[in-house]
Amino acid sequence: MADSASPLGLLGTLRLLLNSFPPDAPPYCVIGALAVGAWGRPRATQDIDLLILLEESTRCEFTERIGSAGFPLDEEWARQNPLMKGRGIRLRHHSHPVDLMIPQDLHERETLARRISLTVEGLPVWMATPEDLILLKLKACRDHDLVDAQSIVHRQATRLDLDYLWRWADRLGLQSELHYVLSTPSAP
């Protein structure tokens, strides 16, 4: 999973990031393409996405600590994306952006409560469950998100908690999107 843009590659960058977290770091889980690679079909990506319970009162201290470890805030991104204020923070490490997404609803808080520990190429990480990742992808609902969700459904098949998926799809108004990814064939 290494890439030519950084001698570390994404997993090396993720390792550095997680090692820079303080011992009392807020709960986080990997979401986005890296998580899709764990549960579905891997796809190319240049960024790292984390859902993190970063409270307003500790946000500045946390980002300063991470910044001093080589992950400074991407101020240009913040200026170009004013709608993300309060929703997320972008950090930079060489050419790999790191997006820290702040939970915005009960489902995203539930995602953090249900996260599971996985070891990816020797790196222990907290990962969103396949069900929660599917729901996050359905909420974003871009073309590649639907393909990602389908790949998770295809790869996880009978291991998915369909009751959980339908319960949250009902609460989030995502019934048609969930029906689509559950019923549309995905390439293996």
Side-chain angles (χ1 to χ4, degrees), residues 13 16-17 20 59-78 88-100:
T13 301
L16 273 177
L17 175 69
S20 70
R59 196 171 298 169
C60 186
E61 179 184 334
F62 183 82
T63 56
E64 283 177 7
R65 178 182 174 118
I66 301 302
S68 67
F71 294 89
L73 283 173
D74 186 336
E75 301 290 346
E76 181 63 25
W77 179 84
I89 298 167
R90 176 164 282 181
L91 308 172
R92 278 261 173 224
H93 182 77
H94 302 293
S95 62
H96 295 304
V98 176
D99 292 333
L100 302 179

Side-chain angles (χ1 to χ4, degrees), residues 24-126:
D24 61 344
Y28 80 90
C29 63
V30 177
I31 59 174
L34 288 179
V36 170
W39 301 122
R41 185 176 15 176
R43 68 169 168 84
T45 187
Q46 291 297 314
D47 69 344
I48 297 168
D49 299 306
L50 301 181
L51 182 65
I52 186 166
L53 190 58
L54 197 52
E55 301 295 341
E56 186 69 40
S57 60
T58 58
R59 196 171 298 169
C60 186
E61 179 184 334
F62 183 82
T63 56
E64 283 177 7
R65 178 182 174 118
I66 301 302
S68 67
F71 294 89
L73 283 173
D74 186 336
E75 301 290 346
E76 181 63 25
W77 179 84
R79 281 191 295 279
Q80 292 176 358
N81 296 281
L83 294 177
M84 291 301 289
K85 185 171 178 71
R87 172 67 177 127
I89 298 167
R90 176 164 282 181
L91 308 172
R92 278 261 173 224
H93 182 77
H94 302 293
S95 62
H96 295 304
V98 176
D99 292 333
L100 302 179
M101 304 306 294
I102 313 299
Q104 298 297 301
D105 61 27
L106 286 174
H107 170 255
E108 291 174 8
R109 288 185 177 271
E110 179 78 5
T111 297
L112 286 169
R114 287 173 34 94
R115 67 193 178 142
I116 60 174
S117 180
L118 289 182
T119 302
V120 180
E121 294 186 27
L123 176 64
V125 296
W126 288 104

Side-chain angles (χ1 to χ4, degrees), residues 71-180:
F71 294 89
L73 283 173
D74 186 336
E75 301 290 346
E76 181 63 25
W77 179 84
R79 281 191 295 279
Q80 292 176 358
N81 296 281
L83 294 177
M84 291 301 289
K85 185 171 178 71
R87 172 67 177 127
I89 298 167
R90 176 164 282 181
L91 308 172
R92 278 261 173 224
H93 182 77
H94 302 293
S95 62
H96 295 304
V98 176
D99 292 333
L100 302 179
M101 304 306 294
I102 313 299
Q104 298 297 301
D105 61 27
L106 286 174
H107 170 255
E108 291 174 8
R109 288 185 177 271
E110 179 78 5
T111 297
L112 286 169
R114 287 173 34 94
R115 67 193 178 142
I116 60 174
S117 180
L118 289 182
T119 302
V120 180
E121 294 186 27
L123 176 64
V125 296
W126 288 104
M127 190 78 61
T129 66
E131 294 86 0
D132 289 314
L133 188 57
I134 289 168
L135 291 164
L136 290 169
K137 290 295 186 174
L138 295 181
K139 285 175 13 180
C141 207
R142 299 165 295 192
D143 288 345
H144 73 271
D145 293 310
L146 295 175
V147 170
D148 287 346
Q150 288 171 316
S151 80
I152 297 166
V153 167
H154 177 79
R155 188 159 161 217
Q156 298 305 312
T158 60
R159 292 182 293 269
L160 291 173
D161 183 344
L162 294 176
D163 290 337
Y164 178 85
L165 279 167
W166 282 112
R167 188 171 50 254
W168 274 106
D170 288 342
R171 288 177 77 177
L172 297 167
L174 298 171
Q175 301 93 333
S176 62
E177 291 87 345
L178 181 58
H179 181 268
Y180 175 79

